[in-house]
Structure formats: structure tokens, C-alpha cells
Amino acid sequence: MTKQRVLSGMQPSGLLHLGNLMGALDNWRKLQDQYECYYFIADWHALTTNYADTSNIRAHSREMVIDWLAAGLDPERSVLFQQSLVPEHAVLHVLLSMSTPLPWLERVPTYKEKMDQIQDREMNTYGFLGYPVLQAADILIYKAHFVPVGIDQLPHLELTREICRRFNQLYGEVFPEPQPLMTEYPKLPGTDGRKMSKSYNNAVFLSDSAQEVDAKLSRMMTDPRRVRRTDPGDPNDCPAFNLHRIYCTPDEIEYVSQGCRSAGIGCLDCKKIMIKHVIADLEPIHARRAALAQRPDEVAATLERGNQEARAVAATTMSEVRAAMGLE
Ligand code: SF4
């Protein structure tokens, strides 16, 4: 039986961290068992906010593929490719943009939010406003049945579905309407308690050694009530405890919770219980990553195989699109 197709992408913004692993990669790896997966480096999307400084995009893309492979994405089962090396994405983007009403783009919630957030760059660009159309092209060109999304990305996918319906109404049924594959991601705070992010300098990277992981997590923020060893705390107010919840056994969680509330355990001892699990979990990824980093040509060849596969599928779809629009 033919498997249904899943598509997802990630912007190349640097080394991947535990938040990326828990929030996306673990899910992507599991989806490979059930679906035909297309995963892409969204390097053109990175330009929508970083168009003025493109110096890191190539290096970040290379690092990201190494992280993907190390985390268990399997090029024998998934098509791993780079958006900018499949130019058909841009062609479909142009054609879809012709029939996408401007107000559809202006009402995307993240458009205004990001405009307000990013103050250090000129964001009033056509590319930034139009990136949901590019996203629609990314999805529709592979006729993806499903797109893994969290609740906050639902409006984007809904816009893709609207663009898809409009195209099909105007020119005939070319694209299936992609459905959301809702995914609940565990919340993963960084070492300072804020969301884990490279830009906050609070991340544990997949490339970190066991010593680095230990050092970073040993310093991780805890319940501020525990100023002295004898002060009781509450695990629910402790950022580090979010990692205990993910990594520790039920018995360990119970032991730690009681010890925290009764001041029976110190924060460092408590964190060490969790840290040993994080290190054990990351160890095989770290080892694979180190081996792959020694074989850049092999990694590049893997990506090029994916690019070729993606180009073949994209070219077939574009031929159908041109025929439907009477452009051939
Ligand atoms: S004892 Fe553990 S759960 Fe409690 S505040 Fe310290 S690190 Fe957090």
C-alpha cells in the first residue's frame, strides 16, 4: 500500500539543541515508520528575516543536516533536501501568489507579531509578507497529505489550505488539501528558565560533549525559593524539574519531589539525577554526529540524492500545474 506523504521543514539557524530534538526531530524520526516523509532545509525562509546577512546560511545548513542524520532521520526512508536547490518551489510560489488575496497574508497572526518583535531590521518587505505563500508552495508541490504542526502553526496551515482550495477551484483539482498532524510537544526550558533558544544563550546542543551537558545543566535555574540548602521548594516552580519530568523514572520523580518539598535533597544532587539520563540519551546522537562531521562529502552526497528525488517529484507536479493553468 502506498504510504501517505508528510512534509516539514526547518530554517537553518545554527546548531540544533535539545528543544529542537524534543520539539521536532524525535517526532520526525517516528513519522518515518508510518509515512513517506519529505524534510527540507528551509533556507529561503531563513532569508525572509535574515536577507541582509547570508554569511551563515550555508554553514548552518550543513550542520543541520548532520544533526538530522545523527538524531535518526534516515535518508533511505525519508527524502532530505534543500529548498533552494529545488527551484520549482519558487516557480509555484510565483504562480500561487497571483491568486492569493493580500488580506489573507496581512491577517496571519505571526506577521504582525514578528513585525513588532524584530526592530533591528527592515521587515516591511514583500518576501516577509509573502512567506506563507512560499510555505504553501513547499507543501503543495509534494502533494503532502499531512504537515506536523503545533497549535500555534495551525493558522499557517489553514492559509495553505485556502490557497490550495482557491487554486483547485480556479484551475481544477491538482492538489490534495494538506491536513494537520497535531503534535503536542513537551515544553523545554533553557538553562535560564526561558524557552530554550540559541539566541538566548541557554541551550544544550546535540553537539555538546557529556562534560558540557553536565556543566550547563548543573547551572540550570531552579526554584528561587531554595536560596539555602535548608529552604524547601516546589518542583512545579523549578525550570530544571521540567527536564526531570521528561527524562526521569516515576520513582525518581517521586523521590526528587519529596526531597525538594522537605529540603531533604540539595538542588545539585537533584539535578545530577536528571543529568545522567540526559547524557545517556544524547550520547549515541553525539557519537553519530562526531562520526558524520568527519565525513562531509558523504553528508553532501546524501543531501544531493534527496535534492534529486525532490526535484523529480516537484517537476512532475509543476508539469500538472502548467497543464491545469493552460501554460504548456
Ligand atoms: S530540589 Fe530539584 S526540583 Fe527542587 S528546586 Fe532544586 S532542582 Fe528543582
Side-chain angles (χ1 to χ4, degrees), residues 226 229-235 255-265:
R226 297 214 66 190
R229 168 69 176 76
T230 48
D231 295 332
D234 183 344
Y255 169 74
V256 161
S257 301
Q258 283 193 9
C260 179
R261 292 195 171 96
S262 63
I265 187 172

Side-chain angles (χ1 to χ4, degrees), residues 222-223 226 235 238 240-241 256 260 265-267 270-271:
T222 58
D223 179 355
R226 297 214 66 190
C238 170
F241 189 71
V256 161
C260 179
I265 187 172
C267 281
C270 173
K271 285 189 277 191

Side-chain angles (χ1 to χ4, degrees), residues 97-122:
S97 73
M98 301 301 167
S99 54
T100 303
L102 215 44
W104 287 9
L105 300 175
E106 288 165 337
R107 72 167 190 233
V108 173
T110 47
Y111 174 63
K112 282 204 171 65
E113 269 169 42
K114 270 201 172 177
M115 280 282 257
D116 292 340
Q117 274 168 17
I118 304 176
Q119 296 293 337
D120 58 339
R121 278 157 278 171
E122 171 59 84

